[in-house]
Amino acid sequence: MALKLFNTLSRSVEEFVPLDPAGRRVGMYCCGPTVHDSAHIGNFRTFVFTDMLRRYLEFRGFAVEHVMNITDVEDKIIARVRAANTTLREYTSKYETAFFEDLKSLGCKPPHQTPRATEFIAEIISLIEKLIERGLAYKATDGSVYFSIDKYCGCGCTYGQLLKLNFDEMRVGERVKSDEYAKESVADFALWKARVPDDGAVFWPSPWGEGRPGWHIECSAMSMKLLGPSFDLHLGGEDLIFPHHEDEIAQSEGAGLQPPGKRFVKHWMHGAHLLVEGKKMSKSLGNFYTLRDLTAKGFAGREIRYLLLTSHYRETFNFTTEGLQGAHTALARIDECIIKLRESEKGPKKNAQSGPDQKVRGAFSDALADDLNISAAWAVVFEWVRELNRKMSEQTLTADEAATALVTFSDLDSVLGLNLRTSDNMSTEELSALITFKELLEERQAARKAKDFKRSDAIRDELKAKGWVIEDTPKGARLKRL
Ligand code: AMP
Ligand code: ZN
């Protein structure tokens, strides 16, 4: 089934077709954390959603390049550095380290690249230079450089592509130096902020004098440097639609680096927010949770991940303690089924190797192909768990069927990321690899049958290079770890 995803740009569900003419490579950028404090579970809802999307794209055979930036310089961070009387790096590094530990305990795959804004100052400066050259940015009397919304619109471009803006009702033309500003104003925004005494030691030289970059330009510079001026997917939480992502489009397309007819980003996706007990999380309401607050209460990272994956990414999610308790129970049901399957698998088998159950795999994949319809995907999983449990209690599940079920769980878990213990001695990665290798093994058998020994030897060598040997037994060929 074709993959369909909602695109904020067109406000509709569209078929996802990557820019790569071969249809294989996918460039994906997700706005990462601002490391001014510990990330909260709302932030992690967005990161778990992006991780699941990446995993699902990989499950479908795409080669994903996942970039997630670290915003390590912006207004809030500078205020905290000043208050803590420390250096920028010292301040941000502890939150950055904690963030990556949290991502790991939530079962998120590390992104392939995690650029820090402070390491891309040269790219940021050259992007701003390009915008000045094209007449879209100007240096103001305060020494800062701003993006001109008027000039941009004057070139026939639309400001307000992700979010329909009502220019008549909005105050137009004012200037904002702050990284965050009220949605009621469509204002020229800062690309480069001139140094002020409060910045302390946080500044870099530039053609416009000492200063630091604005938040929006950081993401444009990093994403285009690492994924090219035109790439497939850009993600973030819904609060980033405006102004952050709107400004990213204006800057990146304003610089005119895209090939003719290509957009900066083909497909924009935004995750809805997480509320706690129906309210926006805030420290003053006492409903603000970091991941560590929850693990300290005895919940595992994988249970929190499971909970975050129970609702559709475009629906606001209401986090409750009962929900977390429910996640614990639901995941335990799956774990228990897997433990029983591992017992059932120990009996005599007819087949040496099992591939995944194509019916279950197909139904699970079709559910997610429909704009990541996770509820439908869970329905497939739990219906199947019920069926397996029934057969096991009736003792009608064969060892071969149990082995197939375990390989299937491992396959589905490559998307769910719940670290299901389908085997003692193989990691989930190894088991998923085995599924791919099993296809190679079948191809080799077909080649041998067709007396294409050159191909069958090439497959044997390929498997060997990946750590697997083929054992030819009277019952047929089987794979063994080298
Ligand atoms: P920040 O560290 O504030 O830059 O946010 C990191 C990511 O978390 C961004 O993609 C935000 O859109 C997202 N985010 C912030 N608050 C929430 C929330 N309550 N629920 C879901 N995502 C959020
Ligand atoms: Zn960003």
Side-chain angles (χ1 to χ4, degrees):
M1 204 163 118
L3 171 57
K4 293 199 178 122
L5 299 170
F6 186 84
N7 187 350
T8 315
L9 202 54
S10 64
R11 294 166 190 84
S12 63
V13 176
E14 285 176 9
E15 182 172 344
F16 176 74
V17 182
L19 290 161
D20 174 18
R24 211 178 107 71
R25 281 180 299 110
V26 171
M28 166 172 153
Y29 185 91
C30 170
C31 290
T34 307
V35 281
H36 62 88
D37 209 335
S38 300
H40 54 66
I41 49 164
N43 302 134
F44 285 118
R45 178 187 193 201
T46 296
F47 297 122
V48 165
F49 144 61
T50 57
D51 176 69
M52 193 270 270
L53 173 60
R54 168 196 165 168
R55 285 165 170 272
Y56 180 55
L57 290 169
E58 289 172 345
F59 177 87
R60 293 184 67 103
F62 292 111
V64 182
E65 180 71 5
H66 179 190
V67 178
M68 183 191 69
N69 73 294
I70 300 291
T71 302
D72 63 345
V73 56
E74 55 81 79
D75 301 350
K76 273 190 279 212
I77 296 178
I78 292 180
R80 302 278 180 100
V81 167
R82 197 174 57 241
N85 195 20
T86 179
T87 64
L88 186 74
R89 189 76 199 109
E90 202 177 325
Y91 183 83
T92 57
S93 66
K94 59 178 185 291
Y95 292 114
E96 191 186 301
T97 306
F99 174 76
F100 283 113
E101 285 169 6
D102 288 355
L103 268 194
K104 194 167 173 212
S105 62
L106 283 168
C108 294
K109 283 189 171 184
H112 299 100
Q113 305 200 56
T114 51
R116 294 189 190 108
T118 53
E119 289 163 359
F120 281 73
I121 301 292
E123 285 78 8
I124 292 169
I125 289 176
S126 80
L127 188 56
I128 299 174
E129 280 179 322
K130 189 109 216 145
L131 290 169
I132 294 179
E133 222 175 271
R134 303 189 104 215
L136 296 178
Y138 59 93
K139 183 175 169 180
T141 46
D142 66 352
S144 297
V145 178
Y146 291 90
F147 185 89
S148 166
I149 307 268
D150 251 6
K151 292 272 168 50
Y152 178 67
C153 295
C155 298
C157 298
T158 306
Y159 185 79
Q161 300 186 29
L162 293 172
L163 191 78
K164 283 211 180 350
L165 298 172
N166 185 340
F167 279 79
D168 296 336
E169 281 177 14
M170 294 175 122
R171 292 172 294 130
V172 186
E174 282 173 37
R175 221 180 256 155
V176 282
K177 205 171 163 193
S178 158
D179 282 329
E180 288 178 287
Y181 54 90
K183 293 192 180 171
E184 294 77 48
S185 72
V186 175
D188 286 1
F189 55 91
L191 300 168
W192 187 260
K193 302 177 181 203
R195 182 184 172 193
V196 293
D198 275 353
D199 290 344
V202 183
F203 64 87
W204 290 264
S206 84
W208 318 286
E210 288 169 345
R212 61 188 170 94
W215 173 37
H216 315 306
I217 195 82
E218 294 174 1
C219 279
S220 285
M222 287 184 278
S223 61
M224 291 201 288
K225 170 76 182 175
L226 298 174
L227 293 171
S230 182
F231 57 93
D232 298 292
L233 275 167
H234 197 314
L235 305 116
E238 61 185 354
D239 58 312
L240 300 189
I241 296 176
F242 184 82
H244 187 52
H245 288 165
E246 196 63 50
D247 289 350
E248 275 193 49
I249 296 178
Q251 298 158 154
S252 309
E253 296 191 353
L257 303 170
Q258 291 71 29
K262 291 277 185 289
R263 305 293 316 257
F264 162 49
V265 171
K266 194 170 180 205
H267 215 108
W268 288 88
M269 291 179 76
H270 294 96
H273 267 197
L274 173 145
L275 302 176
V276 173
E277 313 279 357
K279 296 204 176 74
K280 194 174 165 183
M281 238 187 305
S282 90
K283 287 194 172 149
S284 58
L285 282 178
N287 66 353
F288 185 97
Y289 293 115
T290 64
L291 184 69
R292 284 147 207 247
D293 293 334
L294 300 176
T295 50
K297 285 177 192 263
F299 292 103
R302 61 195 286 270
E303 291 168 343
I304 299 160
R305 180 184 175 96
Y306 172 87
L307 179 63
L308 296 176
L309 284 179
T310 50
S311 67
H312 192 263
Y313 75 95
R314 284 198 286 128
E315 274 165 20
T316 302
F317 181 66
N318 191 24
F319 178 91
T320 61
T321 316
E322 296 84 71
L324 199 45
Q325 208 66 52
H328 172 85
T329 313
L331 199 48
R333 248 185 92 207
I334 299 178
D335 287 343
E336 213 180 290
C337 177
I338 288 173
I339 292 166
K340 286 192 285 176
L341 284 170
R342 283 172 55 184
E343 279 307 307
S344 309
E345 187 216 17
K346 285 183 187 149
K349 284 194 216 82
K350 288 205 189 88
N351 304 316
Q353 304 288 339
S354 307
D357 180 327
Q358 290 303 333
K359 209 170 131 232
V360 174
R361 187 186 205 274
F364 175 82
S365 183
D366 285 354
L368 292 178
D370 177 17
D371 193 28
L372 306 179
N373 186 345
I374 193 79
S375 316
W378 282 122
V380 170
V381 172
F382 281 106
E383 211 167 290
W384 178 53
V385 166
R386 203 172 310 123
E387 176 72 4
L388 290 169
N389 282 337
R390 187 184 57 77
K391 282 190 178 166
M392 284 190 286
S393 71
E394 290 168 358
Q395 302 198 326
T396 54
L397 194 87
T398 65
D400 286 299
E401 285 170 335
T404 300
L406 286 169
V407 174
T408 312
F409 264 121
S410 164
D411 191 26
L412 304 192
D413 200 34
S414 70
V415 180
L416 299 170
L418 295 168
N419 196 19
L420 301 176
R421 306 291 299 160
T422 47
S423 143
D424 266 341
N425 46 8
M426 272 191 215
S427 66
T428 311
E429 261 78 24
E430 278 178 311
L431 261 171
S432 319
L434 183 61
I435 295 161
T436 317
F437 299 157
K438 182 152 178 296
E439 281 165 16
L440 275 177
L441 185 68
E442 277 160 12
E443 204 190 319
R444 174 180 169 267
Q445 274 159 320
R448 273 165 62 110
K449 216 168 151 194
K451 302 218 179 320
D452 183 356
F453 295 112
K454 209 169 142 206
R455 177 74 191 132
S456 87
D457 286 349
I459 293 172
R460 174 183 287 264
D461 293 344
E462 194 181 336
L463 285 165
K464 200 166 166 192
K466 286 175 174 148
W468 297 90
V469 277
I470 298 172
E471 244 187 14
D472 284 305
T473 72
K475 281 187 175 171
R478 51 186 282 174
L479 285 172
K480 246 185 73 179
R481 206 83 177 97
L482 254 182

